Amino acid sequence: METGTAQTAEPPGQRPEPVWTGLPKALLSMRRLLLVAWMVPIAVALGVLLGLFVGPVWAAFAVLPLAALAWGWPMLGRNWRSWRYAERSDDLLISRGVLWREETIVPYGRMQLVEVTSGPVERHFGLASVQLHTAAAATDARIPGLLPEEAERLRDRLTELGEARSAGL
């Protein structure tokens, strides 16, 4: 798991730089396996069907899904590296995106529900996702591909902080 830079001393009145945490490498492995699991059978089926019904020359179009696989492999790596989150004293930051960077700030006091989910493929790779629900649907946030222990720790911590902060509202 990647982590960001350590907190440094800042001039008075400014917040220290958050400590960012990246996502586990197992998420990248899972996404790449799913890419191969979809693109290779599509390429084979496309090649066979075009070769049988249209002609062998048209079967060359089966390379298109393979080209998508070759393009998608490094893009998944770039996307995986872009995901990170940081826990601050008053809120949770989630940052993601390669071309369009998106940073979501979820104040602890606004959290209404924190869910941990894990589908069959995620469970096979030993991963879980944390879904944060707030009063405003636009600020709902998700952190995919965490280790189950980290997802549960984050859920418990965020729930505890959310209850403490919302009591003061």
Side-chain angles (χ1 to χ4, degrees):
M1 190 176 332
E2 295 180 356
T3 57
T5 58
Q7 292 184 358
T8 58
E10 295 285 329
Q14 290 186 354
R15 287 187 130 165
E17 184 68 23
V19 178
W20 293 99
T21 304
L23 300 181
K25 188 115 176 150
L27 177 65
L28 177 60
S29 299
M30 179 189 78
R31 288 180 172 174
R32 283 180 170 168
L33 177 69
L34 288 172
L35 178 67
V36 170
W38 278 99
M39 290 300 140
V40 170
I42 289 172
V44 169
L46 190 60
V48 169
L49 291 174
L50 287 175
L52 288 174
F53 295 115
V54 182
V57 174
W58 288 94
F61 279 102
V63 300
L64 292 177
L66 298 178
L69 173 67
W71 176 81
W73 191 272
M75 291 301 108
L76 286 173
R78 289 182 64 192
N79 179 269
W80 170 75
R81 283 188 297 278
S82 76
W83 275 88
R84 58 191 187 156
Y85 66 96
E87 298 173 65
R88 296 194 304 186
S89 59
D90 296 325
D91 49 32
L92 177 73
L93 302 176
I94 302 170
S95 179
R96 64 195 167 280
V98 177
L99 293 177
W100 286 271
R101 298 285 304 157
E102 185 175 334
E103 190 166 290
T104 304
I105 301 171
V106 184
Y108 297 135
R110 301 288 181 188
M111 290 184 201
Q112 293 183 329
L113 176 66
V114 182
E115 290 180 302
V116 173
T117 59
S118 185
V121 177
E122 284 179 312
R123 281 194 307 275
H124 178 74
F125 281 87
L127 299 172
S129 296
V130 173
Q131 178 77 38
L132 309 164
H133 298 279
T134 63
T139 58
D140 284 1
R142 182 174 177 264
I143 304 173
L146 296 172
L147 298 174
E149 304 81 33
E150 173 64 6
E152 291 170 9
R153 183 204 65 81
L154 196 57
R155 177 198 59 207
D156 294 343
R157 177 168 160 66
L158 296 176
T159 301
E160 179 183 309
L161 288 168
E163 288 173 354
R165 298 295 195 284
S166 67
L169 292 178

